[in-house]
Amino acid sequence: MSGRSVEITLRKAGRTKIRYPAEVLAEREARLSVRAPWAAEGVRDFGFVRFEPGDVFVEHYWRDRWYTVKEVWSADGALKGWYCDITRPVEIGGAGVVVEDLDLDLWVSADGSEVLRLDEDEFAASGLTASDPEAAERAVVALDELARLGRDGLVELLR
């Protein structure tokens, strides 16, 4: 049901990294789309994009995919791009969404000219390849799929 509030919980290595409220925009069988303001304090400058107060994220979560996609919009309504997290399939319940981050990320600029694979060093250092080889393999496949979609038009995935 659109318009209701849910809580997004991002977990990493078994610990809660951040928790924030979001408004449901659409809910389908396997996908939930929400809108949330930039939830962290201050500005986060990645070099290729800045997340800052006033930014709005339209976030897409799937129960059956190993990633999430966040459309990043500036306060003035300009699309900055898409930040994609490689995750386990999310848990979507009545009160919220629980996301287990697997360290790999992808950035796709609004004009599609940049498709950047991120945090591959963190993923390698996480030990997931040894502790859960199947999840590690699925994470790499998901990153490859998103990188291809980023080059070919990520917007189609979100329709």
Side-chain angles (χ1 to χ4, degrees):
M1 169 191 305
S2 67
R4 71 181 168 94
S5 292
V6 294
E7 184 173 73
I8 308 297
T9 302
L10 179 63
R11 298 181 53 81
K12 192 169 183 174
R15 292 192 314 256
T16 297
K17 185 175 174 184
I18 192 168
R19 185 176 280 140
Y20 55 92
E23 175 192 355
V24 174
L25 298 174
E27 191 166 5
R28 297 180 182 94
E29 189 171 312
R31 180 172 130 196
L32 178 72
S33 298
V34 303
R35 178 183 7 226
W38 168 237
E41 302 236 350
V43 173
R44 182 132 187 235
D45 190 341
F46 292 96
F48 49 87
V49 67
R50 288 169 48 100
F51 297 164
E52 50 203 335
D55 285 353
V56 174
F57 288 66
V58 175
E59 305 176 358
H60 305 277
Y61 297 98
W62 286 268
R63 289 181 172 98
D64 60 353
R65 298 188 186 181
W66 286 72
Y67 54 78
T68 65
V69 176
K70 298 174 174 94
E71 301 171 43
V72 183
W73 298 85
S74 67
D76 66 2
L79 178 65
K80 292 183 176 187
W82 296 270
Y83 195 91
C84 308
D85 290 310
I86 303 304
T87 68
R88 292 182 187 275
V90 300
E91 298 172 29
I92 302 172
V97 178
V98 177
V99 184
E100 183 69 34
D101 189 324
L102 298 178
D103 292 310
L104 290 171
D105 299 305
L106 186 84
W107 170 254
V108 180
S109 62
D111 65 3
S113 65
E114 287 185 304
V115 178
L116 305 174
R117 297 167 74 106
L118 308 170
D119 303 328
E120 290 177 302
D121 55 337
E122 287 180 32
F123 178 73
S126 74
L128 189 64
T129 303
S131 66
D132 192 343
E134 181 182 346
E137 182 178 337
R138 287 178 175 258
V140 170
V141 168
L143 182 66
D144 290 343
E145 177 183 347
L146 281 172
R148 181 185 52 76
L149 288 168
R151 288 187 300 275
D152 297 341
L154 196 56
V155 173
E156 293 301 316
L157 171 69
L158 305 176
R159 288 187 185 199

PDB file of all heavy atoms in Angstrom, residues 18-19 26 41 51 53 56 66 75 77 83-84 94 96 103 151:
ATOM      1  N   ILE A  18      22.757   1.387   9.678  1.00  0.00           N
ATOM      2  CA  ILE A  18      21.888   2.563   9.712  1.00  0.00           C
ATOM      3  C   ILE A  18      20.438   2.100   9.662  1.00  0.00           C
ATOM      4  O   ILE A  18      20.126   1.042   9.110  1.00  0.00           O
ATOM      5  CB  ILE A  18      22.201   3.548   8.547  1.00  0.00           C
ATOM      6  CG1 ILE A  18      21.495   4.882   8.765  1.00  0.00           C
ATOM      7  CG2 ILE A  18      21.872   2.938   7.207  1.00  0.00           C
ATOM      8  CD1 ILE A  18      21.976   5.996   7.826  1.00  0.00           C
ATOM      9  N   ARG A  19      19.584   2.910  10.256  1.00  0.00           N
ATOM     10  CA  ARG A  19      18.138   2.651  10.260  1.00  0.00           C
ATOM     11  C   ARG A  19      17.458   3.987  10.001  1.00  0.00           C
ATOM     12  O   ARG A  19      17.833   4.989  10.598  1.00  0.00           O
ATOM     13  CB  ARG A  19      17.755   2.083  11.623  1.00  0.00           C
ATOM     14  CG  ARG A  19      16.326   1.658  11.745  1.00  0.00           C
ATOM     15  CD  ARG A  19      16.058   1.015  13.093  1.00  0.00           C
ATOM     16  NE  ARG A  19      16.512  -0.370  13.053  1.00  0.00           N
ATOM     17  CZ  ARG A  19      17.140  -0.989  14.040  1.00  0.00           C
ATOM     18  NH1 ARG A  19      17.406  -0.360  15.159  1.00  0.00           N
ATOM     19  NH2 ARG A  19      17.500  -2.241  13.912  1.00  0.00           N
ATOM     20  N   ALA A  26       5.423   2.090  -4.011  1.00  0.00           N
ATOM     21  CA  ALA A  26       4.772   0.993  -4.731  1.00  0.00           C
ATOM     22  C   ALA A  26       5.241  -0.324  -4.134  1.00  0.00           C
ATOM     23  O   ALA A  26       6.385  -0.446  -3.687  1.00  0.00           O
ATOM     24  CB  ALA A  26       5.117   1.046  -6.212  1.00  0.00           C
ATOM     25  N   GLU A  41      24.217  11.916   8.497  1.00  0.00           N
ATOM     26  CA  GLU A  41      24.510  13.293   8.908  1.00  0.00           C
ATOM     27  C   GLU A  41      25.473  13.935   7.909  1.00  0.00           C
ATOM     28  O   GLU A  41      26.422  13.304   7.455  1.00  0.00           O
ATOM     29  CB  GLU A  41      25.152  13.277  10.291  1.00  0.00           C
ATOM     30  CG  GLU A  41      24.273  12.614  11.322  1.00  0.00           C
ATOM     31  CD  GLU A  41      23.983  13.505  12.491  1.00  0.00           C
ATOM     32  OE1 GLU A  41      24.605  14.568  12.597  1.00  0.00           O
ATOM     33  OE2 GLU A  41      23.116  13.130  13.282  1.00  0.00           O
ATOM     34  N   PHE A  51      26.464  12.977  -1.656  1.00  0.00           N
ATOM     35  CA  PHE A  51      25.163  12.826  -1.010  1.00  0.00           C
ATOM     36  C   PHE A  51      25.122  13.886   0.067  1.00  0.00           C
ATOM     37  O   PHE A  51      26.064  14.002   0.855  1.00  0.00           O
ATOM     38  CB  PHE A  51      24.997  11.448  -0.381  1.00  0.00           C
ATOM     39  CG  PHE A  51      25.017  10.295  -1.370  1.00  0.00           C
ATOM     40  CD1 PHE A  51      25.216   9.008  -0.919  1.00  0.00           C
ATOM     41  CD2 PHE A  51      24.833  10.481  -2.728  1.00  0.00           C
ATOM     42  CE1 PHE A  51      25.236   7.941  -1.790  1.00  0.00           C
ATOM     43  CE2 PHE A  51      24.851   9.418  -3.615  1.00  0.00           C
ATOM     44  CZ  PHE A  51      25.050   8.142  -3.139  1.00  0.00           C
ATOM     45  N   PRO A  53      22.422  16.762   2.617  1.00  0.00           N
ATOM     46  CA  PRO A  53      21.095  17.096   3.113  1.00  0.00           C
ATOM     47  C   PRO A  53      20.246  17.699   1.988  1.00  0.00           C
ATOM     48  O   PRO A  53      20.732  18.493   1.186  1.00  0.00           O
ATOM     49  CB  PRO A  53      21.369  18.124   4.217  1.00  0.00           C
ATOM     50  CG  PRO A  53      22.745  17.758   4.706  1.00  0.00           C
ATOM     51  CD  PRO A  53      23.485  17.319   3.468  1.00  0.00           C
ATOM     52  N   VAL A  56      17.116  13.274  -2.087  1.00  0.00           N
ATOM     53  CA  VAL A  56      16.030  12.313  -1.916  1.00  0.00           C
ATOM     54  C   VAL A  56      16.421  11.031  -2.646  1.00  0.00           C
ATOM     55  O   VAL A  56      16.902  11.073  -3.773  1.00  0.00           O
ATOM     56  CB  VAL A  56      14.699  12.865  -2.477  1.00  0.00           C
ATOM     57  CG1 VAL A  56      13.601  11.817  -2.431  1.00  0.00           C
ATOM     58  CG2 VAL A  56      14.289  14.115  -1.713  1.00  0.00           C
ATOM     59  N   TRP A  66      19.754 -10.153  -5.675  1.00  0.00           N
ATOM     60  CA  TRP A  66      20.913  -9.946  -4.800  1.00  0.00           C
ATOM     61  C   TRP A  66      21.434  -8.515  -4.900  1.00  0.00           C
ATOM     62  O   TRP A  66      22.631  -8.269  -4.821  1.00  0.00           O
ATOM     63  CB  TRP A  66      21.997 -10.971  -5.126  1.00  0.00           C
ATOM     64  CG  TRP A  66      21.627 -12.334  -4.610  1.00  0.00           C
ATOM     65  CD1 TRP A  66      20.660 -13.167  -5.098  1.00  0.00           C
ATOM     66  CD2 TRP A  66      22.183 -12.986  -3.488  1.00  0.00           C
ATOM     67  NE1 TRP A  66      20.593 -14.293  -4.342  1.00  0.00           N
ATOM     68  CE2 TRP A  66      21.518 -14.223  -3.345  1.00  0.00           C
ATOM     69  CE3 TRP A  66      23.193 -12.656  -2.573  1.00  0.00           C
ATOM     70  CZ2 TRP A  66      21.821 -15.122  -2.333  1.00  0.00           C
ATOM     71  CZ3 TRP A  66      23.494 -13.559  -1.574  1.00  0.00           C
ATOM     72  CH2 TRP A  66      22.821 -14.778  -1.459  1.00  0.00           C
ATOM     73  N   ALA A  75      18.224  18.088  -4.141  1.00  0.00           N
ATOM     74  CA  ALA A  75      17.143  18.878  -3.547  1.00  0.00           C
ATOM     75  C   ALA A  75      16.361  19.659  -4.607  1.00  0.00           C
ATOM     76  O   ALA A  75      15.164  19.894  -4.447  1.00  0.00           O
ATOM     77  CB  ALA A  75      17.698  19.829  -2.497  1.00  0.00           C
ATOM     78  N   GLY A  77      15.651  18.570  -7.562  1.00  0.00           N
ATOM     79  CA  GLY A  77      14.936  17.650  -8.441  1.00  0.00           C
ATOM     80  C   GLY A  77      15.729  17.085  -9.598  1.00  0.00           C
ATOM     81  O   GLY A  77      15.159  16.414 -10.459  1.00  0.00           O
ATOM     82  N   TYR A  83      22.765   4.549  -7.176  1.00  0.00           N
ATOM     83  CA  TYR A  83      23.719   3.870  -6.309  1.00  0.00           C
ATOM     84  C   TYR A  83      23.133   2.487  -6.032  1.00  0.00           C
ATOM     85  O   TYR A  83      22.010   2.372  -5.538  1.00  0.00           O
ATOM     86  CB  TYR A  83      23.928   4.633  -4.998  1.00  0.00           C
ATOM     87  CG  TYR A  83      25.152   4.170  -4.260  1.00  0.00           C
ATOM     88  CD1 TYR A  83      26.376   4.789  -4.474  1.00  0.00           C
ATOM     89  CD2 TYR A  83      25.098   3.102  -3.375  1.00  0.00           C
ATOM     90  CE1 TYR A  83      27.524   4.358  -3.818  1.00  0.00           C
ATOM     91  CE2 TYR A  83      26.239   2.670  -2.719  1.00  0.00           C
ATOM     92  CZ  TYR A  83      27.440   3.301  -2.946  1.00  0.00           C
ATOM     93  OH  TYR A  83      28.577   2.873  -2.302  1.00  0.00           O
ATOM     94  N   CYS A  84      23.881   1.470  -6.383  1.00  0.00           N
ATOM     95  CA  CYS A  84      23.396   0.096  -6.270  1.00  0.00           C
ATOM     96  C   CYS A  84      24.226  -0.646  -5.232  1.00  0.00           C
ATOM     97  O   CYS A  84      25.459  -0.623  -5.291  1.00  0.00           O
ATOM     98  CB  CYS A  84      23.510  -0.614  -7.604  1.00  0.00           C
ATOM     99  SG  CYS A  84      22.756   0.286  -8.984  1.00  0.00           S
ATOM    100  N   GLY A  94       5.824  -6.317   7.487  1.00  0.00           N
ATOM    101  CA  GLY A  94       4.801  -5.299   7.669  1.00  0.00           C
ATOM    102  C   GLY A  94       5.348  -3.960   8.106  1.00  0.00           C
ATOM    103  O   GLY A  94       4.871  -2.913   7.703  1.00  0.00           O
ATOM    104  N   GLY A  96       8.765  -3.049   7.953  1.00  0.00           N
ATOM    105  CA  GLY A  96       9.982  -2.543   7.354  1.00  0.00           C
ATOM    106  C   GLY A  96      10.737  -3.509   6.470  1.00  0.00           C
ATOM    107  O   GLY A  96      10.260  -4.588   6.127  1.00  0.00           O
ATOM    108  N   ASP A 103      28.986  -5.586   0.737  1.00  0.00           N
ATOM    109  CA  ASP A 103      30.165  -4.755   0.483  1.00  0.00           C
ATOM    110  C   ASP A 103      30.336  -4.267  -0.946  1.00  0.00           C
ATOM    111  O   ASP A 103      30.867  -3.181  -1.139  1.00  0.00           O
ATOM    112  CB  ASP A 103      31.472  -5.450   0.917  1.00  0.00           C
ATOM    113  CG  ASP A 103      31.572  -5.591   2.420  1.00  0.00           C
ATOM    114  OD1 ASP A 103      31.367  -4.579   3.114  1.00  0.00           O
ATOM    115  OD2 ASP A 103      31.841  -6.698   2.902  1.00  0.00           O
ATOM    116  N   ARG A 151      25.240   0.015 -18.187  1.00  0.00           N
ATOM    117  CA  ARG A 151      25.689   0.425 -19.522  1.00  0.00           C
ATOM    118  C   ARG A 151      24.543   0.436 -20.532  1.00  0.00           C
ATOM    119  O   ARG A 151      24.525   1.230 -21.456  1.00  0.00           O
ATOM    120  CB  ARG A 151      26.798  -0.517 -20.014  1.00  0.00           C
ATOM    121  CG  ARG A 151      28.116  -0.337 -19.299  1.00  0.00           C
ATOM    122  CD  ARG A 151      29.223  -1.164 -19.937  1.00  0.00           C
ATOM    123  NE  ARG A 151      28.924  -2.590 -19.912  1.00  0.00           N
ATOM    124  CZ  ARG A 151      29.178  -3.418 -18.892  1.00  0.00           C
ATOM    125  NH1 ARG A 151      29.722  -2.940 -17.806  1.00  0.00           N
ATOM    126  NH2 ARG A 151      28.888  -4.698 -18.967  1.00  0.00           N
TER     127      ARG A 151
END
